[in-house]
């Protein structure tokens, strides 16, 4: 039985809805513990018409295994929000759900963490700097460098930079940073995904991968040296390749993963290919962590129309990822 912690995310969004839906009918061989405010979850379950028993779970107690019975590690909110109306005053409690989940994974109570979506802006509006789950979890686990990987079926796209304004991306790229990213990607493709010798494609930053320096020198000065360093370590990596043609079936076929230079270089293609079923995986952490490929969808909260497909996929993948 794989024991997974599932944080409910932004309480005014669809996180509680989809968490309740999947927790009522978890994947085979998976025990789910919801981490959030049990009063909110009970109210949302009633609003959605779900017949489910939510049971408070104390540390060290096994998760519930009866049908329609869901274990909850209660983390109280400052105020219960209405569906679709987020409250910045709840920001500390939202971060505490992550703290509780990470601690549970590190102490062996959980085998992995799955996260429902948070709203970065709401947390920042509370005066708490927050650039996303990926960066926060790196800090909580003392991990120097992590890599964001999105998975949609056989397509895996990792990011060299994550949530940055586009004008900051070139300055955020370095030979050592890119080499470290490739190293983590290759290592976790082996450790987590069981790929014995992963083959990685690396995108260029500029159109046509810089046209030999005529459209920018990042490929020559940063990306190619990083690839050479990774190859010298025995990693099977190819690039820099033009991103506009790399994301075609025939070009992708030889590769186990693609490393894109920035968020909107790699993720539009992946989400087009698998939106609603794609999964966000954080590589480099000492724990397994997956998440959904979408946001809080305030307009759907409490309506019963939210699609839990990506969350189910995140749970399924977390249950299969290696931990060694």
């Amino acid at each position: 039985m794989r024991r997974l912690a599932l944080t409910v995310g932004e309480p005014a969004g669809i996180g509680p809805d989809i968490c309740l839906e999947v927790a009522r009918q978890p994947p085979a061989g998976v025990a789910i513990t919801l981490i959030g405010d049990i009063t909110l979850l009970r109210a949302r379950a009633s609003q959605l018409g779900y017949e489910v028993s939510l049971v408070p779970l104390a540390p060290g107690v096994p998760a519930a295994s009866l049908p329609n019975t869901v274990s909850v590690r209660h983390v109280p909110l400052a105020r219960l929000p209405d569906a679709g109306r987020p409250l910045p005053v709840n920001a500390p409690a939202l971060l505490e759900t992550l703290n509780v989940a990470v601690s549970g994974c590190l102490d062996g109570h959980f085998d992995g963490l799955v996260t429902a979506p948070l709203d970065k802006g709401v947390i920042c509006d509370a005066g708490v700097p927050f650039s996303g789950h990926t960066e926060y979890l790196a800090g909580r686990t003392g991990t120097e460098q992590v890599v964001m990987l999105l998975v949609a079926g056989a397509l895996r796209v990792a990011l060299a930079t994550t949530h940055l304004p586009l004008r900051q991306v070139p300055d955020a790229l370095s030979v050592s940073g890119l080499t470290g990213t490739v190293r983590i990607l290759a290592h976790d493709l082996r450790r987590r995904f069981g790929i014995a010798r992963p083959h990685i494609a690396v995108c260029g930053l500029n159109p046509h991968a810089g046209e030999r320096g005529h459209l920018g020198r990042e490929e020559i000065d940063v990306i190619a040296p990083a690839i050479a360093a990774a190859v010298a370590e025995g990693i099977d990596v190819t690039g820099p390749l033009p991103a506009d043609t790399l994301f075609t079936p025939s070009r992708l076929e030889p590769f186990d993963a693609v490393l894109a230079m920035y968020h909107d270089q790699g993720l539009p293609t992946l989400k087009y290919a698998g939106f609603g079923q794609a999964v966000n995986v954080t590589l480099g952490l000492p724990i397994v962590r997956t998440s959904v490929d979408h946001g809080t969808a305030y307009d759907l909260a409490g309506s019963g129309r939210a699609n839990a497909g990506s969350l189910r996929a995140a749970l399924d993948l977390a249950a299969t990822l290696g931990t060694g």
Side-chain angles (χ1 to χ4, degrees):
M1 183 69 70
R2 204 73 182 269
R3 304 159 301 166
L4 299 179
L6 175 53
T7 56
V8 302
E10 167 54 54
I14 63 170
D17 306 38
I18 58 177
C19 287
L20 285 165
E21 182 174 338
V22 300
R24 292 187 308 143
Q25 298 176 320
V30 173
I32 296 174
T33 297
L34 297 186
I35 301 182
D37 190 302
I38 196 168
T39 304
L40 171 92
L41 288 166
R42 284 171 173 158
R44 191 66 63 85
S46 176
Q47 183 175 354
L48 294 169
Y50 289 161
E51 294 184 3
V52 58
S53 175
L54 299 170
V55 180
L57 179 68
V61 177
S65 58
L66 297 175
N68 285 324
T69 302
V70 178
S71 295
V72 180
R73 283 287 300 274
H74 176 56
V75 178
L77 296 168
R79 287 173 54 194
L80 295 185
D82 295 328
R85 297 180 179 275
L87 299 172
V89 71
N90 285 325
L94 305 186
L95 298 181
E96 181 60 14
T97 64
L98 297 177
N99 299 340
V100 169
V102 168
S103 295
C105 290
L106 292 175
D107 68 18
H109 185 63
F110 301 121
D111 299 310
L113 166 62
V114 181
T115 59
L118 287 171
D119 185 332
K120 301 175 188 66
V122 171
I123 297 175
C124 291
D125 286 345
V128 181
F130 183 77
S131 58
H133 279 102
T134 302
E135 298 82 1
Y136 187 82
L137 295 173
R140 290 299 304 179
T141 58
T143 306
E144 182 176 350
Q145 185 177 6
V146 294
V147 175
M148 179 185 289
L149 175 75
L150 272 289
V151 179
L155 179 59
R156 304 180 187 95
V157 178
L159 300 179
T161 62
T162 53
H163 302 112
L164 286 180
L166 189 57
R167 68 172 62 247
Q168 295 180 16
V169 169
D171 291 340
L173 299 175
S174 68
V175 174
S176 61
L178 279 178
T179 305
T181 297
V182 172
R183 187 182 299 124
I184 291 169
L185 178 56
H187 178 269
D188 274 17
L189 287 172
R190 292 191 297 268
R191 176 176 66 153
R192 301 293 192 203
F193 291 85
I195 301 171
R197 182 168 172 77
H199 189 184
I200 299 166
V202 178
C203 294
L205 173 69
N206 298 296
H208 305 168
E211 288 277 16
R212 301 183 304 281
H214 295 291
L215 296 178
R217 290 194 54 85
E218 286 82 5
E219 287 76 14
I220 296 171
D221 296 338
V222 179
I223 302 175
I227 292 171
V231 169
E233 295 181 12
I235 300 172
D236 190 0
V237 56
T238 300
L241 302 172
D244 64 339
T245 54
L246 175 56
F247 289 100
T248 57
S250 61
R251 294 297 303 276
L252 285 173
E253 196 277 331
F255 300 109
D256 297 296
V258 173
L259 176 60
M261 292 297 103
Y262 57 93
H263 188 281
D264 282 13
Q265 182 183 61
L267 297 196
T269 299
L270 182 134
K271 292 190 177 184
Y272 177 79
F275 189 72
Q277 299 294 325
V279 179
N280 182 349
V281 186
T282 305
L283 305 181
L285 294 174
I287 64 174
V288 169
R289 183 262 171 162
T290 67
S291 189
V292 295
D293 67 347
H294 58 75
T296 52
Y298 291 122
D299 58 321
L300 298 178
S303 69
R305 294 184 287 114
N307 187 331
S310 180
L311 185 57
R312 287 195 183 279
L315 287 163
D316 288 341
L317 184 58
T320 63
L321 291 178
T323 58

